[in-house]
Amino acid sequence: LSASEVWLESLSAFLVFVTCLACFPGLATSLTSPTLGSWFPLLMVAAYNCGDLFGKTLPARARLVSRRSLPAWVSAHLLFVPLFLLLLRAPAGRGGASDALPLGCTFVLGVSTGYIGCMALVLVGEHAGSAEEKELWGTASSFSLMLGLTAGSLLSFALSAAFASPS
């Protein structure tokens, strides 16, 4: 098994977690709600965590992502960054029912990150034949995941500094 056989899945895991950390928690918890006040960031965290848990359990029940379709799923996932930047620029006094929009977007971010991230790692394991190959490519894809978390955290700091208003 060569690197060219699993680069797509490793890059996908990297990009999924860069996107996730760029948006959550930094940008997502910078959103405000005049109706929910200090509870809003807590609800955003709950929405993400519930979505992530749901997304991570989906691959056992539904295989919507294949190696062929993975780039399209990851490309769609990347759109969360401009979406959260737009949410930050929305009028602060939206209140009431429209609080559901950022909460829903955060939930869907969690589902998407959990599902696509999990599937990228599962697909790596499916390519490897021997136990040695599975171990090697599991390590390589885990490294990609860790790099994605690191890069996403750094991007989150930059985006929050540039776009989130100080509390």
Side-chain angles (χ1 to χ4, degrees):
L1 192 65
S2 69
S4 64
E5 294 182 54
V6 293
W7 73 268
L8 179 66
E9 292 87 348
S10 294
L11 178 62
S12 296
F14 172 81
L15 291 173
V16 164
F17 290 100
V18 166
T19 302
C20 173
L21 270 286
C23 297
F24 182 86
L27 296 178
T29 58
S30 295
L31 295 167
T32 59
S33 167
T35 9
L36 298 171
S38 62
W39 283 97
F40 194 64
L42 297 172
L43 291 172
M44 295 290 276
V45 170
Y48 176 83
N49 286 333
C50 289
D52 188 50
L53 176 64
F54 181 67
K56 286 179 180 169
T57 61
L58 274 178
R61 293 171 181 78
R63 296 292 297 257
L64 304 173
V65 177
S66 66
R67 188 170 199 273
R68 255 183 115 148
S69 67
L70 187 60
W73 285 87
V74 172
S75 296
H77 187 76
L78 291 170
L79 296 175
F80 279 108
V81 175
L83 174 65
F84 275 91
L85 291 174
L86 285 172
L87 287 172
L88 274 173
R89 293 295 167 222
R94 61 183 189 279
S98 60
D99 285 341
L101 179 63
L103 285 166
C105 289
T106 302
F107 177 79
V108 174
L109 173 68
V111 172
S112 178
T113 299
Y115 186 75
I116 300 169
C118 188
M119 285 305 301
L121 299 175
V122 166
L123 290 170
V124 167
E126 289 179 352
H127 284 298
S130 69
E132 286 177 348
E133 287 176 339
K134 286 183 181 185
E135 182 179 344
L136 176 64
W137 293 115
T139 301
S141 61
S142 294
F143 183 70
S144 295
L145 182 149
M146 293 299 164
L147 282 177
L149 293 173
T150 303
S153 295
L154 294 172
L155 182 57
S156 176
F157 282 127
L159 290 173
S160 291
F163 295 102
S165 45
S167 300

